[in-house]
Amino acid sequence: MTRTTMTRHFLKDTDLSPAELTEVLDLAAELKAAPYSRTPLAGPQTAAVIFDKTSTRTRVSFAAGIAALGGQPLIINPGEAQLGHKESIADTAQVMSRMVSAIIWRTYAQTGLEEMAAHSTVPVINALSDDFHPCQILADLLTIREHRGTLAGLTMSYFGDGANNMANSYALGGVNAGMHVRIAAPADHQPDEAIVAEANQLASTTGGSLTVTDDPVAAAFGADVLITDTWVSMGQDSAGRDDDASPFVKYQVTQELMNSGNDAMFLHCLPAYRGKEVTAEVIDGPASAVFDEAENRLHAQKALLTFLLESR
Ligand code: CP
Ligand code: NVA
């Protein structure tokens, strides 16, 4: 495959073309089978992982993955750097680019990541923003492929907050993989028009599709994968979102919903709230692959880092 010599970033799901997405997932499977077979960070080079929000999976998987690639992770916890209060994103990007081989950042605004990437000469990776969580979708796609053998043509249905980072990334990442993505969410919590338009445009080239509905039963019918996420994302006010009157109650993933799928598997990016977005019966049941999914963060991100570092 021809690669550009420009620095590549991964800020949203569509920053990988469909062919590149397959390449990264193939590499992730290779690295899962042979964890120390690639060392693009040998030296050891340092990769910075900056957190403006809390994390377990992202923190541990990037730290372990960077080490396994021969590198040294530099974890910067919320409030520890000058970034965000004393120093601009542009200056931070220029300083860090001279010292580290990649900048991985969990933050609020997607525009912040775009600014970081615009001023960075090393790859910038979105480790979750208010708008997207593309690293999580790589892990999810890897997990689905492991369990189902393929991605293109499968139906992946997401239930709950259809306007959050996970929903946006499932819409774009799933369609990028040629999947039929359904988002079931209350009318005032559905994806922005811009996300729907981008997914529809992409669908015309990948053969995938995006359907947005307020009907959870219709969204589950015949689906291969059922997915949900917390009703309250980091940085959001929980008021009116997670009580008994929450508009998301109707979108809880129950065994009954699972039963109307096509021998469906269940995924959740975690952390999960049993009794809210999913019942304990489903997430702790035989169709749940949530811990395979969590493990796959490690393998998918190692592949992503290798791809981006070798693309430079
Ligand atoms: N799924 C996920 O990103 O988990 P953390 O918030 O623990 O990193
Ligand atoms: N939507 C959730 C995902 C957590 C991994 C959040 O942003 O908090």
Side-chain angles (χ1 to χ4, degrees):
M1 159 161 308
T2 311
R3 297 264 180 83
T4 64
T5 52
M6 278 173 54
T7 301
R8 292 286 301 266
H9 306 290
F10 188 58
L11 308 185
K12 62 190 284 195
D13 306 84
T14 45
D15 284 343
L16 292 177
S17 70
E20 289 170 342
L21 173 60
T22 302
E23 188 178 340
V24 168
L25 295 177
D26 288 348
L27 181 55
E30 257 177 69
L31 288 171
K32 189 167 182 172
Y36 305 105
S37 57
R38 299 288 279 265
T39 52
L41 288 169
Q45 299 168 45
T46 299
V49 196
I50 310 169
F51 290 97
D52 294 344
K53 298 174 176 174
T54 53
S55 168
T56 295
R57 277 145 292 274
T58 305
R59 172 189 311 269
V60 177
S61 57
F62 269 112
I66 289 161
L69 294 175
Q72 168 78 42
L74 169 64
I75 306 286
I76 301 175
N77 288 310
E80 282 183 355
Q82 313 289 20
L83 174 65
H85 46 115
K86 284 188 177 167
E87 193 162 24
S88 70
I89 295 170
D91 284 1
T92 302
Q94 290 176 85
V95 170
M96 291 184 70
S97 289
R98 291 174 181 230
M99 300 176 184
V100 303
S101 297
I103 299 170
I104 298 139
W105 188 17
R106 167 167 288 192
T107 189
Y108 294 87
Q110 186 71 12
T111 51
L113 280 156
E114 287 163 6
E115 193 178 348
M116 184 76 88
H119 294 91
S120 174
T121 56
V122 300
V124 175
I125 295 176
N126 179 357
L128 180 148
S129 67
D130 289 345
D131 291 352
F132 301 104
H133 195 3
C135 290
Q136 181 69 53
I137 273 52
L138 291 181
D140 289 29
L141 295 177
L142 182 62
T143 310
I144 296 166
R145 214 176 65 159
E146 285 173 350
H147 283 253
R148 293 292 164 120
T150 187
L151 293 172
L154 294 185
T155 296
M156 174 166 79
S157 298
Y158 169 93
F159 302 83
D161 183 358
N164 75 6
N165 43 18
M166 291 305 304
N168 290 341
S169 276
Y170 284 122
L172 296 185
V175 171
N176 210 19
M179 300 181 82
H180 301 297
V181 180
R182 298 177 186 162
I183 296 196
D188 47 354
H189 296 277
Q190 294 183 347
D192 276 355
E193 276 175 27
I195 297 287
V196 175
E198 191 174 354
N200 285 338
Q201 170 71 28
L202 188 59
S204 65
T205 63
T206 65
S209 64
L210 173 65
T211 304
V212 180
T213 175
D214 63 2
D215 182 349
V217 177
F221 185 74
D224 299 286
V225 191
L226 271 64
I227 306 181
T228 186
D229 183 24
T230 179
W231 295 341
V232 187
S233 286
M234 289 180 276
Q236 287 179 332
D237 183 352
S238 63
R241 286 184 156 262
D242 70 347
D243 55 20
D244 290 347
S246 165
F248 304 121
V249 168
K250 174 179 158 191
Y251 299 88
Q252 183 187 60
V253 178
T254 60
Q255 192 57 49
E256 193 184 350
L257 214 54
M258 289 292 293
N259 291 346
S260 68
N262 172 29
D263 191 20
M265 61 188 288
F266 174 76
L267 295 180
H268 189 309
C269 65
L270 306 179
Y273 301 86
R274 289 165 176 80
K276 297 283 186 180
E277 70 269 16
V278 59
T279 61
E281 184 185 17
V282 170
I283 194 169
D284 299 321
S288 173
V290 297
F291 297 112
D292 290 345
E293 179 187 7
E295 178 190 333
N296 281 338
R297 292 293 303 277
L298 171 67
H299 310 300
Q301 290 159 193
K302 283 173 66 186
L304 175 70
L305 272 165
T306 303
F307 175 88
L308 295 176
L309 290 163
E310 291 183 355
S311 295
R312 299 183 67 211

